Amino acid sequence: MAENSGTDPAVETNTEENAAASATIIKVTVKTPKDKEEIAIAEDSSVSQFKEEISKRFKANQDQLVLIFAGKILKDGDTLGQHGIKDGLTVHLVIKTAQKTSGGGSSQTSASSGPGPSQGNTDGSANSSPAGNLGTPQGSGPSPTPTQPPNMLAGFGDLSGLANLGMGSANFMELQQQMQRQLMSNPEMLSQIMENPLVQSMMSNPDLMRQMIVANPQMQQLMERNPEISHMLNNPELMRQTMELARNPAMMQEMMRNQDRALSNLESIPGGYNALRRMYTDIQEPMFSAAREQFGNNPFSALGGNADNSGAQPSRTENREPLPNPWGPPDTAATTTSGTATTTSSTTSSTTPSVSNPLGISSSSLGNGMFNSPGMQSLMQQISENPQLMQNMLSAPYMRTMMQSLAQNPDIASQVLMNNPLFAGNPQLQEQMRQQLPVFMQQMQNPESLSVMTNPRAMRALMQIQEGLQTLQTEAPGLMPSLIPGGMAAGIPGAPLPTGVNVTPENPPPSGQAPTPTPAPTPTPAAGTNTAQQQLMQQMLQMFAGGNASTPTPEVRFQQQLEQLSAMGFINREANLQALIATGGDINAAIERLLGSQPS
Amino acid sequence: MDPHDSTFGVQLFIYDLSRGMARQLSPIMLGKQLDGIWHTSIVVYGEEFFYGGAGISSCPPGGTMLGPPDTVVELGNTEVTEEILMDYLSSLGETTYRGDKYRLFEHNCNTFTNEVAQFLTGNKIPSYITDLPSEVLSTPFGQVLRPILDSIHIAPPGGNVISSQNNHG
């Protein structure tokens, strides 16, 4: 290229001469994805001159260089000045590697080799991740897709911190989704959850897992369609491996990455993308929806995530979140682990049944002091604040299934409960639990108990009881032994409702305060295993009964507050009353509620 | 040289990862108003590109689990062809923008978007986005949370990871 400034050919090597000749030298930064260099060049040079310098500095062929500045590609015939390239500015450089065709070719080979090794992995992982890879066996059919991944269980239980619960999602399913999303973006949570001994103990029980999975009707459908799935599920080795994988997030990530890579390789194979797509729609989607419905197949979803399936859309579902429903029935709850405190789960399990079969369990948890963990409190609070939530949760399809399967199979329930590390240290408790299990189950089935759970006031009452009990515990530990309300025996199996109405007819302490020894006999120590827990339980009973007896109607109860509110200017008595009820008589909270409900 | 004078529109998709919660809670928690936790991606040639814990990924626009963007900003036009961009992204993805290089505060999706935006159009992305990490870190709360947040990798699922073998030019 002839230089226009009339400089000798030496200009390419000696810009100084050029400088001396006319233009000023400017320093332009040339940036590649990998590094950047500062190149001194004459201000009025042409792009090709610039490229010559660059090719020398970056050791690349001039033809391979693509220079970009301000979104424009610099063509050889242009000058730097034309594009406004001045001193100190940055020009981007891309060094073209191979051409498209060869690129395609190489990607093809790499793709085939990719799936090769990953096939090894995948098979291993496929085997080990039955649930996750349910799609895989079929996937492996069509050639290079060893990793077919329908990430099915992906959608599983979302967890997300309890903090999110109840926030903004009326629909439980949506809640799940939110949780899932959160979890996915927060690997910390996953590892926390994994570390939860509850989860671990659950996962180490392949039978349980299998049962849970099988119980899901959608899963059953899937199984019919794809016999390999059931095969996988029935293979204990596989399950164990899968769970191992689920437990080890690092491994999972490894696998996922491999899957990802293999899948992406797949894409570049002509027709590969379509195969992927097909696989996704045929296998993954149904699984995905099955997964969404299912409650807590934790380990499997984790697996699912881990088992390949990434690539194409699957990555979206590549979820490693197990997390079942935090408020599942006692059992599930026990297995559930809501991602919050470990204690929460077990306490949750204790609480829910407490509605129907409270004392037996909650007292024990009380005894353990779990009941009052902050996680529990917030859980309770959310429940009481958002009755819809409870409702949704309970109506979630799989809940029913779960409860049913639990009821039918008390063994699993007991197994899970027994394995619950909380109870592990306390054989007495275990005994208690075991005895009460069948009753428990019934309670859960009892629609009344269900309705109670959805009743915010009831939940609130429960909370208050909790608090009261806790206070009692701390303030007057000596009081407990003296609390030997007769209602105990009646209480436990009697499935007293939280409202305590039926609970203890024999225990009519007026203000539910210090439970007074009732006329009823005291079967207390009778059980033999009766320890402080039972006493606590009785206490609870008392509170229930007492609390109720002393509450005429909300209106009367909140008489004073209502007056205060109307004095403040809140005219709408109905609304005031509602607010007061919802907040349990707390005026400030009620005011906030009232104000919040107005459009602002 | 092919006379490639056609230009392509480049857009910036901005997502609020907190879904509005940051706007409400930030005054309380941080002491200053943050309108959102921004995640951004570049959309060009009908494809969305973003960086996350999984490396550089691409997907159909709005195709991640985050759903549709909260805001779309026009960054301008570029002459850079898709082929060149893919080359560029592949190199980036192998070096500075590998998955494991993700750092929530210093080297995140917005860093990537900023760089690609400059590459494609010469324009940077709006500064309120790139200023976010320092805004958060300048609060005591942010400092306290820093160790936890550092380990968070935002990786919105739904994209394919771009690698050099995957170069669909």
Side-chain angles (χ1 to χ4, degrees):
Chain A
M1 268 123 305
E3 276 34 276
N4 26 7
S5 348
T7 51
D8 28 330
V11 69
E12 4 172 35
T13 44
N14 199 348
T15 36
E16 258 99 80
E17 277 187 5
N18 206 358
S22 50
T24 42
I25 300 290
I26 53 175
K27 290 207 176 18
V28 181
T29 307
V30 178
K31 199 159 180 272
T32 62
K34 297 201 183 32
D35 54 3
K36 64 181 179 193
E37 298 256 354
E38 231 183 44
I39 302 216
I41 186 96
E43 199 175 21
D44 61 350
S45 329
S46 67
V47 170
S48 37
Q49 277 172 300
F50 196 30
K51 281 195 177 175
E52 276 179 63
E53 273 296 315
I54 295 177
S55 70
K56 268 183 276 170
R57 198 73 81 83
F58 285 91
K59 319 241 179 320
N61 209 332
Q62 240 179 294
D63 291 337
Q64 287 177 294
L65 305 180
V66 180
L67 284 171
I68 294 144
F69 182 72
K72 297 210 182 1
I73 300 184
L74 308 182
K75 309 205 195 343
D76 285 355
D78 303 335
T79 67
L80 299 185
Q82 224 176 314
H83 287 280
I85 300 177
K86 301 202 182 2
D87 190 31
L89 292 182
T90 302
V91 173
H92 292 270
L93 170 71
V94 176
I95 302 179
K96 282 200 272 205
T97 44
Q99 262 67 21
K100 251 196 283 195
T101 45
S102 53
S106 55
S107 55
Q108 208 158 16
T109 32
S110 49
S112 37
S113 53
S118 47
Q119 177 130 29
N121 287 350
T122 337
D123 280 346
S125 62
N127 285 346
S128 36
S129 38
N133 263 347
L134 294 193
T136 314
Q138 297 97 24
S140 6
S143 70
T145 344
T147 53
Q148 242 355 119
N151 175 352
M152 55 167 234
L153 302 190
F156 272 119
D158 299 289
L159 253 221
S160 85
L162 269 188
N164 269 345
L165 289 178
M167 250 208 236
S169 65
N171 184 350
F172 195 52
M173 291 310 163
E174 204 196 300
L175 184 64
Q176 258 197 335
Q177 277 189 36
Q178 271 188 3
M179 289 204 265
Q180 178 187 341
R181 255 176 263 142
Q182 252 223 350
L183 253 177
M184 278 198 271
S185 52
N186 187 356
E188 277 293 292
M189 253 197 271
L190 177 62
S191 35
Q192 274 174 14
I193 288 159
M194 284 308 189
E195 281 160 33
N196 182 341
L198 261 175
V199 172
Q200 288 188 353
S201 67
M202 188 181 67
M203 295 211 288
S204 47
N205 185 346
D207 281 329
L208 177 62
M209 297 318 310
R210 182 158 49 83
Q211 199 122 12
M212 291 215 280
I213 292 180
V214 173
N216 181 338
Q218 268 159 323
M219 192 51 67
Q220 281 168 0
Q221 264 182 8
L222 260 173
M223 278 173 47
E224 274 164 51
R225 265 186 272 156
N226 302 321
E228 286 101 337
I229 294 177
S230 50
H231 182 64
M232 258 200 299
L233 279 177
N234 287 329
N235 182 345
E237 245 331 286
L238 280 187
M239 307 273 290
R240 205 159 292 130
Q241 270 184 329
T242 311
M243 288 191 269
E244 273 303 315
L245 272 175
R247 256 192 282 233
N248 184 346
M251 233 201 302
M252 271 185 348
Q253 259 189 333
E254 249 320 295
M255 293 250 249
M256 276 201 277
R257 251 185 226 132
N258 287 342
Q259 307 299 17
D260 259 329
R261 242 180 287 133
L263 266 181
S264 349
N265 289 340
L266 248 195
E267 262 197 332
S268 23
I269 298 178
Y273 189 71
N274 290 333
L276 274 179
R277 247 231 145 77
R278 241 181 300 124
M279 251 175 324
Y280 173 68
T281 41
D282 290 344
I283 295 156
Q284 182 156 0
E285 266 183 315
M287 289 232 240
F288 193 47
S289 30
R292 298 219 136 240
E293 298 291 330
Q294 199 147 11
F295 65 85
N297 265 329
N298 310 348
F300 284 86
S301 44
L303 295 180
N306 113 56
D308 49 75
N309 107 356
S310 22
Q313 271 82 12
S315 21
R316 157 170 50 133
T317 35
E318 152 194 292
N319 171 353
R320 350 168 179 181
E321 290 24 57
L323 322 207
N325 182 342
W327 297 308
D331 218 28
T332 336
T335 32
T336 301
T337 341
S338 355
T340 23
T342 340
T343 52
T344 309
S345 18
S346 30
T347 9
T348 323
S349 63
S350 321
T351 333
T352 356
S354 75
V355 168
S356 35
N357 180 359
L359 321 183
I361 313 309
S362 41
S363 60
S364 16
S365 19
L366 273 179
N368 283 334
M370 301 283 216
F371 210 36
N372 302 304
S373 72
M376 248 337 274
Q377 297 289 21
S378 75
L379 180 62
M380 293 296 288
Q381 222 162 15
Q382 269 155 8
I383 294 179
S384 45
E385 277 162 20
N386 189 349
Q388 202 44 31
L389 199 52
M390 209 52 194
Q391 182 102 43
N392 287 333
M393 181 186 76
L394 283 172
S395 57
Y398 52 72
M399 274 287 261
R400 290 273 147 77
T401 325
M402 243 273 314
M403 293 206 237
Q404 271 165 18
S405 61
L406 278 180
Q408 285 156 14
N409 195 341
D411 281 338
I412 291 199
S414 57
Q415 247 185 341
V416 173
L417 278 170
M418 291 322 127
N419 287 337
N420 180 342
L422 270 174
F423 296 128
N426 191 339
Q428 278 175 343
L429 265 178
Q430 284 189 358
E431 269 313 299
Q432 258 188 327
M433 299 280 285
R434 207 166 300 188
Q435 284 159 9
Q436 284 144 8
L437 260 177
V439 190
F440 236 53
M441 292 303 148
Q442 272 177 7
Q443 303 307 358
M444 293 314 293
Q445 306 269 343
N446 182 354
E448 260 199 81
S449 56
L450 290 183
S451 63
V452 161
M453 276 196 265
T454 54
N455 181 348
R457 290 201 278 290
M459 299 311 282
R460 189 153 265 278
L462 258 178
M463 258 176 76
Q464 286 174 341
I465 288 170
Q466 268 183 47
E467 285 159 18
L469 272 169
Q470 186 185 22
T471 322
L472 246 174
Q473 228 176 324
T474 48
E475 304 282 333
L479 194 58
M480 285 174 13
S482 67
L483 301 183
I484 311 215
M488 182 184 84
I492 304 178
L497 294 184
T499 47
V501 171
N502 308 334
V503 166
T504 45
E506 316 95 308
N507 293 346
S511 57
Q513 273 3 48
T516 46
T518 43
T522 53
T524 346
T529 52
N530 197 354
T531 54
Q533 288 99 11
Q534 301 249 341
Q535 289 166 352
L536 273 171
M537 174 181 65
Q538 291 156 22
Q539 237 179 315
M540 280 275 287
L541 259 176
Q542 295 285 337
M543 303 282 246
F544 274 142
N548 262 346
S550 66
T551 8
T553 70
E555 260 202 25
V556 177
R557 239 189 328 159
F558 298 134
Q559 184 70 21
Q560 195 202 11
Q561 286 96 331
L562 273 171
E563 277 167 20
Q564 278 185 328
L565 280 175
S566 53
M568 278 191 243
F570 292 101
I571 319 177
N572 186 346
R573 199 176 161 79
E574 236 345 277
N576 292 353
L577 191 58
Q578 289 298 323
L580 277 170
I581 291 174
T583 59
D586 179 356
I587 293 200
N588 287 332
I591 291 177
E592 296 213 13
R593 235 186 147 75
L594 287 168
L595 287 174
S597 61
Q598 287 160 16
S600 46
Chain B
M1 287 293 246
D2 14 22
H4 232 315
D5 268 354
S6 52
T7 59
F8 307 92
V10 182
Q11 293 172 315
L12 181 74
F13 274 21
I14 307 180
Y15 300 84
D16 176 8
L17 290 175
S18 71
R19 299 192 172 272
M21 291 205 284
R23 183 175 279 121
Q24 292 174 13
L25 298 178
S26 61
I28 305 168
M29 292 175 73
L30 295 178
K32 58 165 75 157
Q33 177 70 30
L34 284 181
D35 282 332
I37 309 291
W38 307 117
H39 162 84
T40 53
S41 56
I42 292 278
V43 175
V44 63
Y45 323 121
E47 282 221 34
E48 180 172 347
F49 300 96
F50 55 93
Y51 174 61
I56 302 180
S57 313
S58 77
C59 67
T64 65
M65 274 202 74
L66 296 171
D70 290 277
T71 320
V72 176
V73 173
E74 293 287 336
L75 291 175
N77 289 317
T78 188
E79 280 178 11
V80 176
T81 65
E82 187 167 0
E83 184 194 344
I84 301 178
L85 179 68
M86 295 312 287
D87 263 339
Y88 179 70
L89 291 180
S90 304
S91 318
L92 278 186
E94 280 163 6
T95 55
T96 45
Y97 286 97
R98 282 209 315 254
D100 56 359
K101 297 258 172 132
Y102 185 91
R103 297 284 173 271
L104 185 69
F105 283 112
E106 302 101 13
H107 192 67
N108 56 24
C109 55
N110 303 326
T111 324
F112 169 76
T113 321
N114 207 5
E115 196 158 329
V116 176
Q118 288 182 65
F119 172 76
L120 287 177
T121 65
N123 301 323
K124 296 195 184 183
I125 65 179
S127 61
Y128 68 86
I129 299 173
T130 41
D131 285 344
L132 186 70
S134 55
E135 288 269 326
V136 171
L137 285 179
S138 68
T139 68
F141 192 73
Q143 284 292 329
V144 165
L145 278 190
R146 184 177 184 149
I148 304 172
L149 296 175
D150 263 341
S151 64
I152 296 183
H153 288 213
I154 310 271
N160 314 325
V161 179
I162 298 181
S163 65
S164 45
Q165 292 133 342
N166 193 6
N167 198 348
H168 46 255

